[in-house]
Amino acid sequence: MMLRIKRVPTVVSNYQKDEGEDAARRGGGCGRNCLQKCCIPGAKLPLYTFKRVEEIPGDKCVLEHDDNQAPVAFLDSLLLGQWEDRMQRGLFRYDVTACETKVIPGRCGFMAQLNEGRHLKKRPTEFRVDKVLQPFDGNKFNFTKVGQEEVLFQFDASEDGEVQFFPDAPVDADSSPSVVAINVSPIEYGHVLLIPRILECLPQRIDRESFLLALYMAIEAGNPYFRLGYNSLGAFATINHLHFQAYYLAVPFPIEKAPTRKVTTLGDGVKISELFDYPVRGLVFEGGNTLQDLSNAVSDACIFLQDNNIPHNVLIADCGKRIFLLPQCYAEKQALGEVSSELLDTQVNPAVWEISGHMVLKRKKDYEEASEENAWRLLAEVSLSEERFEEVKALIFEACSYTLSEKEDEHLTQGAGDDKPPPLEGTGSINKGRNCNMVSGTQECLVLQ
Amino acid sequence: MEPPQLGLIEQSFNSRYSNWAREALDELPDNFTITDPCISGHPIVFASRGFLKMSGYSRDQVIGRNGRMFQGPNTCRRSVMEIREAIREERGVEISLLNYRKDGTPFWMLFRMTPVFGKDEGRVIHFVAVQVPILRRRQRRRNGEGLCDEILSNSCRREVCSSSSVELAGVSAADSDCRALEIEEKCEASDTEKQLAATAISNVLSVLTHYSESTGRLVCEKRFGPSLVSSSLHISLGRIKQSFVLVDPHLPDIPIVYASDAFLRMAGYARNEVLGQNYRFLTGVDTDHSALHQIKQSIQAQQACSVRILHYRKDKSSFWNLLHISPVRNATGKIAYFVGVQIEEGSVDRHGLSPEMRQLSVVGSIKVAVRSSSMSSSSKSS
Ligand SMILES: Cc1cc2nc3c(=O)[nH]c(=O)nc-3n(C[C@H](O)[C@H](O)[C@H](O)COP(=O)(O)O)c2cc1C
């Protein structure tokens, strides 16, 4: 059986037509200044290069930057300035600052926005929700098709270890730059997409390097109200081309306020806690001896989840100091007809922002009647059950500590998997996937064999 | 810390309470700091003797810095967020927090913070925080008896008191390694410590109120009257270093309701000389009227515009100002202000951003600040 849901896809680019139209256009010449072979030669875009660091900059660093206007705040200004420029050039489908928004009264502080324009025009499309990893399909919309005017800048590690900015840098097709582009249907001010190594056309799938890039973006922006999010396929990503999202909202997200309970500390100092008293069960990653440790722990957990076909969402918060990981099963329930029509009627797609407590509502009625209770009820449907979460959690820990030891022994052989404790009982398909993961021990497993 | 900021910091304290207040505060035995949210970076403007002793820093190393300098790798980020939000919402907060001394050693303290309002201005003038060290009660007995009680009633306990035996075992097993335990676990303050914190705050506040009477610029614990912009907005705006003003199009003659430090520096005026004025006070004999007209029109049409206009400083010297004006909406989606961002012609940006891009980035920051700060039901909405 194949699970599918119908939903209106979000229009993130002005070049994202309904699939049929898009296909029709592809045959003809381009002439729209995109990011494909036809238009890249001679293309120039601003380039921001960041400095690789070992540790997450401590608070003292941030302060010093604050005082003498060092580059930390600079990425922030670059992004905001470029975004406002696109706004004044009229590239967005609507002015998001004209959309009413509020904090819903209550203890959690869920936020609601009334956005009647975001989903107009597009007709519902079918999405396959039972496969977290799907191969890249060049015929579908992907970010190489966006117009260059929608790209704000290239974002990459600097060669010489210094933060630098080049207002007019050539786009080097061979080095496959990572870029930051606008989302023309913004959820909030500054809504952008970070597309790692855009020209490599990676499918929506976490790898260590790309995750680290996203983490660097959070750190470089240095603003606790600028967060990055990730949706896997099956967890409401609509475009199967690797991307993270981000926007500004200077209000704490309910998920950031949720109490946590420490569960374990990995060998490399990464602390993992569990959310409680929050409608969606999830893990929080913090600390680590180095930035890479933190980044790798989260990516390994995501890699485990995607290899085992468990849809999930990730939120990078607090300037990269706290990362939330939330496995979810809403789309699956929806496809199986297990979600109440009342919830479906709100047309809220619980992706990373919704799960973090920021709801975009399409109907005035839902906005006016928005209550903590309603939000909670929706999110509770998103969460894995307690038993299932416990299983997944145990396996994630195993995956994290497993890859940790893998680092020590580069030439891991198949036999290594056998040393692991026997699988938990009754975990069904997870275990099958897990064994696969354990045996091959790399991200390459399961994909494009 | 650069000297101009230090001047501001001294003024922040002295102009409000007089220099004498320092002596009175220094006689208090407590650990406390006072910060000024209106100075860029929200720095500490006063640190008590007790505080310096506890933290191991000298006064010079602390004044002008932000209180976050005492945080470190094991400081709970969620607690930091709670403080951040309390400041944003201008309310008090009490929370246990792990801080680090100058020598790098961590210690737990009960952090209690409260805003101090200006009686006439109705906005937050300062924040006062006391830091009461949390004393570790001597370690628990090895025999199980009384263990649970003690864990629950005071001293350190796990972040969550799930009564699972594993967790209790974890606590008792850690007896031998008290240091590790202290850092890892959330430390609850005792009632005595909470009482101490409350008393200390009220002692500091009574000194401050008393001395503010002597300068005639009264402060108090409760907010009186409305301010031109909400103080949480004031804080967010204070982080933006460039020159800009906000004007309120809903008030008669569209007065300036916020002016950034950089603006005041550029124009040579003091804040109180600028607030409440219409923007045209910067113009002079040689200013081109068509530029003024363009500004007026863009405000009427509720649209952004860029003009190059001749402006005059307080000392009558003139300069060419690249001015960008844009409407700014609040959380209801309505226009709440217009922002005017000024760049003196010829000034260069060390990052290589064009003047236009620099202006737009200020507009972006302001749009985020205004929208977000008006989202809570308690905030003003027009
Ligand atoms: C009056 C006052 C005193 C403060 N003192 C401390 C302190 O001693 N230790 C600390 O960790 N944070 C202290 N803070 C909190 C930080 O300054 C800062 O507000 C907090 O880290 C959250 O904001 P951030 O996200 O900008 O860091 C203090 C804040 C205020 C207003």
Side-chain angles (χ1 to χ4, degrees):
Chain A
M1 189 177 67
M2 194 188 274
L3 296 181
R4 293 170 178 277
I5 61 170
K6 267 199 150 178
R7 59 166 291 197
V8 182
T10 314
V11 180
V12 301
S13 163
N14 291 321
Y15 299 88
Q16 181 183 3
K17 302 287 176 292
D18 283 328
E19 296 302 346
E21 271 174 71
D22 190 61
R25 288 190 60 171
R26 260 181 313 115
C30 178
R32 60 187 187 187
N33 225 11
C34 68
L35 282 171
Q36 295 181 321
K37 281 196 203 79
C38 42
C39 305
I40 288 211
K44 287 197 166 146
L45 289 169
L47 166 66
Y48 179 98
T49 64
F50 60 85
K51 185 174 158 182
R52 288 192 183 275
V53 290
E54 280 286 287
E55 285 164 49
I56 297 192
D59 300 279
K60 287 175 198 180
C61 296
V62 173
L63 176 74
E64 277 152 24
H65 286 313
D66 230 4
D67 289 343
N68 49 34
Q69 294 194 38
V72 156
F74 176 60
L75 180 68
D76 214 32
S77 356
L78 175 64
L79 202 153
L80 288 164
Q82 291 274 55
W83 207 88
E84 179 66 23
D85 172 64
R86 300 314 188 274
M87 182 148 164
Q88 299 199 356
R89 276 156 67 176
L91 296 191
F92 294 97
R93 295 172 67 227
Y94 47 82
D95 175 359
V96 71
T97 71
C99 297
E100 206 175 327
T101 181
K102 67 181 175 190
V103 173
I104 301 173
R107 151 183 92 83
C108 300
F110 289 113
M111 293 160 287
Q113 182 194 121
L114 175 60
N115 193 321
E116 294 171 301
R118 188 166 151 89
H119 288 270
L120 292 181
K121 293 191 195 150
K122 271 269 182 183
R123 41 188 163 74
T125 311
E126 283 211 327
F127 284 92
R128 179 159 192 194
V129 294
D130 59 354
K131 272 194 97 191
V132 173
L133 294 180
Q134 296 175 33
F136 185 86
D137 179 353
N139 290 324
K140 295 217 170 114
F141 172 77
N142 66 70
F143 299 112
T144 64
K145 299 185 185 185
V146 309
Q148 284 175 24
E149 72 281 10
E150 293 179 356
V151 177
L152 300 185
F153 52 88
Q154 312 177 59
F155 181 70
D156 271 304
S158 76
E159 300 285 312
D160 59 1
E162 284 309 313
V163 173
Q164 283 188 308
F165 177 64
F166 308 90
D168 258 321
V171 179
D172 175 8
D174 296 330
S175 70
S176 192
S178 301
V179 304
V180 174
I182 55 171
N183 180 335
V184 302
S185 307
I187 286 185
E188 260 307 328
Y189 197 89
H191 195 166
V192 290
L193 307 166
L194 168 66
I195 305 139
R197 291 166 284 146
I198 180 166
L199 302 177
E200 286 180 25
C201 294
L202 306 165
Q204 184 75 337
R205 163 187 184 215
I206 295 284
D207 64 86
R208 283 182 166 194
E209 191 184 339
S210 304
F211 192 80
L212 184 60
L213 184 79
L215 192 53
Y216 267 117
M217 184 154 176
I219 293 168
E220 288 289 305
N223 181 333
Y225 302 118
F226 180 75
R227 307 158 178 93
L228 281 96
Y230 174 84
N231 302 316
S232 79
L233 298 181
F236 296 96
T238 49
I239 295 166
N240 186 17
H241 184 180
L242 182 58
H243 65 286
F244 295 83
Q245 309 184 38
Y247 59 77
Y248 290 87
L249 188 56
V251 178
F253 277 15
I255 199 168
E256 297 171 340
K257 298 199 279 186
T260 59
R261 155 192 314 149
K262 191 180 139 191
V263 197
T264 187
T265 305
L266 300 177
D268 52 12
V270 174
K271 191 171 97 184
I272 307 183
S273 324
E274 188 178 333
L275 292 170
F276 71 96
D277 199 11
Y278 194 73
V280 187
R281 294 184 181 81
L283 298 174
V284 190
F285 292 70
E286 312 172 67
N289 299 334
T290 68
L291 187 62
Q292 271 77 5
D293 291 334
L294 178 62
S295 179
N296 290 346
V298 182
S299 359
D300 292 347
C302 294
I303 290 166
F304 166 80
L305 291 173
Q306 66 202 14
D307 283 349
N308 290 282
N309 210 19
I310 301 168
H312 55 278
N313 307 89
V314 183
L315 179 76
I316 304 176
D318 201 0
C319 309
K321 292 197 182 81
R322 300 178 82 200
I323 302 164
F324 297 80
L325 172 61
L326 306 119
Q328 69 147 297
C329 62
Y330 189 88
E332 184 186 335
K333 278 189 193 168
Q334 187 177 343
L336 292 170
E338 291 171 9
V339 177
S340 76
S341 59
E342 189 194 342
L343 284 182
L344 289 177
D345 283 350
T346 63
Q347 291 180 57
V348 175
N349 295 311
V352 58
W353 309 119
E354 287 76 9
I355 292 177
S356 305
H358 185 208
M359 313 281 169
V360 178
L361 300 165
K362 292 158 195 125
R363 298 188 303 190
K364 195 157 178 88
K365 167 174 165 291
D366 294 325
Y367 180 78
E368 277 159 4
E369 292 169 4
S371 66
E372 184 159 299
E373 205 188 329
N374 291 344
W376 189 285
R377 201 171 331 127
L378 169 76
L379 293 185
E381 287 293 328
V382 178
S383 181
L384 298 191
S385 69
E386 192 173 344
E387 306 74 55
R388 173 79 167 156
F389 181 71
E390 288 303 319
E391 284 169 19
V392 171
K393 187 174 79 183
L395 294 166
I396 287 177
F397 292 165
E398 215 175 297
C400 286
S401 38
Y402 174 73
T403 25
L404 203 68
S405 54
E406 180 197 345
K407 254 197 314 203
E408 286 149 24
D409 180 6
E410 298 278 13
H411 310 284
L412 194 76
T413 51
Q414 292 226 335
D418 300 337
D419 297 340
K420 291 284 135 192
L424 296 183
E425 275 169 43
T427 47
S429 64
I430 294 181
N431 279 326
K432 277 182 242 132
R434 167 181 159 273
N435 286 335
C436 169
N437 181 48
M438 304 295 287
V439 173
S440 78
T442 69
Q443 297 97 295
E444 266 66 55
C445 171
L446 277 192
V447 190
L448 308 174
Q449 301 89 337
Chain B
M1 195 34 63
E2 310 93 280
Q5 180 106 336
L6 267 187
L8 273 179
I9 284 168
E10 200 171 286
Q11 198 190 346
S12 162
F13 186 94
N14 289 0
S15 70
R16 187 60 68 167
Y17 312 113
S18 84
N19 210 4
W20 305 115
R22 293 178 192 275
E23 284 177 26
L25 290 177
D26 266 334
E27 274 165 29
L28 296 176
D30 313 284
N31 312 328
F32 60 91
T33 49
I34 302 175
T35 61
D36 185 341
C38 295
I39 300 180
S40 147
H42 193 177
I44 297 172
V45 298
F46 182 91
S48 77
R49 284 187 187 168
F51 180 84
L52 296 171
K53 190 149 173 257
M54 173 183 70
S55 67
Y57 287 93
S58 70
R59 183 154 282 160
D60 291 349
Q61 292 168 325
V62 165
I63 301 299
R65 307 287 307 266
N66 184 288
R68 76 174 80 86
M69 72 180 281
F70 307 105
Q71 298 161 7
N74 280 305
T75 305
C76 166
R77 295 305 304 171
R78 187 170 168 271
S79 306
V80 170
M81 182 196 71
E82 282 190 39
I83 299 172
R84 181 158 70 225
E85 294 316 311
I87 293 172
R88 205 172 62 88
E89 292 168 11
E90 302 179 342
R91 55 175 168 79
V93 66
E94 182 177 87
I95 194 163
S96 26
L97 194 67
L98 187 77
N99 266 191
Y100 291 74
R101 298 184 190 88
K102 191 183 176 197
D103 64 12
T105 53
F107 64 99
W108 277 101
M109 54 115 170
L110 177 65
F111 178 85
R112 181 170 173 143
M113 184 202 79
T114 190
V116 179
F117 295 92
K119 197 155 193 166
D120 298 328
E121 302 93 325
R123 63 174 175 87
V124 173
I125 302 299
H126 290 124
F127 284 95
V128 175
V130 301
Q131 295 89 353
V132 178
I134 300 180
L135 294 176
R136 307 337 234 43
R137 268 141 294 277
R138 279 306 106 221
Q139 291 305 310
R140 314 132 185 101
R141 284 142 283 177
R142 277 258 168 210
N143 61 22
E145 217 186 305
L147 174 69
C148 193
D149 260 347
E150 207 164 345
I151 290 165
L152 297 185
S153 63
N154 51 32
S155 75
C156 305
R157 57 175 165 111
R158 306 292 275 195
E159 279 166 51
V160 183
C161 205
S162 102
S163 54
S164 91
S165 57
V166 188
E167 300 219 317
L168 289 181
V171 172
S172 58
D175 269 0
S176 50
D177 186 11
C178 178
R179 186 26 57 89
L181 181 80
E182 283 182 22
I183 299 165
E184 286 281 314
E185 294 181 347
K186 177 98 180 172
C187 204
E188 265 325 289
S190 67
D191 288 344
T192 327
E193 284 148 356
K194 289 182 179 167
Q195 192 50 51
L196 258 170
T199 315
I201 283 268
S202 83
N203 288 344
V204 176
L205 287 177
S206 69
V207 170
L208 296 183
T209 9
H210 175 77
Y211 280 88
S212 72
E213 281 164 20
S214 75
T215 65
R217 303 179 66 202
L218 297 183
V219 297
C220 50
E221 292 168 55
K222 293 254 151 49
R223 181 200 304 278
F224 283 92
S227 72
L228 289 178
V229 302
S230 83
S231 161
S232 61
L233 177 56
H234 213 275
I235 292 178
S236 328
L237 296 178
R239 296 207 169 130
I240 305 167
K241 309 279 161 43
Q242 291 88 337
S243 171
F244 69 94
V245 297
L246 289 189
V247 303
D248 187 338
H250 308 293
L251 295 177
D253 203 28
I254 315 190
I256 294 175
V257 291
Y258 181 91
S260 73
D261 290 346
F263 173 83
L264 299 174
R265 243 178 286 132
M266 179 168 107
Y269 288 95
R271 182 162 277 121
N272 60 359
E273 295 173 304
V274 164
L275 294 184
Q277 299 278 342
N278 181 286
Y279 192 78
R280 80 177 81 80
F281 82 99
L282 284 178
T283 56
V285 280
D286 286 328
T287 305
D288 180 359
H289 280 268
S290 70
L292 274 177
H293 185 69
Q294 219 182 319
I295 295 173
K296 211 169 164 180
Q297 273 197 325
S298 92
I299 291 183
Q300 257 159 19
Q302 310 197 329
Q303 270 167 3
C305 82
S306 293
V307 294
R308 179 171 174 270
I309 185 169
L310 190 69
H311 273 159
Y312 290 78
R313 299 188 184 87
K314 191 181 179 184
D315 67 8
K316 304 278 195 295
S317 60
S318 65
F319 61 100
W320 280 104
N321 196 350
L322 303 176
L323 174 65
H324 180 85
I325 294 194
S326 170
V328 179
R329 297 171 185 274
N330 66 15
T332 66
K334 308 245 162 55
I335 292 176
Y337 307 105
F338 281 83
V339 59
V341 188
Q342 301 84 11
I343 289 187
E344 198 170 335
E345 195 175 54
S347 70
V348 282
D349 178 60
R350 58 194 204 85
H351 299 303
L353 280 190
S354 66
E356 295 75 32
M357 206 43 83
R358 276 145 70 198
Q359 289 176 324
L360 294 179
S361 95
V362 177
V363 172
S365 315
I366 289 165
K367 285 186 172 178
V368 172
V370 170
R371 181 163 167 86
S372 303
S373 77
S374 55
M375 270 179 74
S376 303
S377 40
S378 56
S379 308
K380 95 164 194 183
S381 54
S382 54

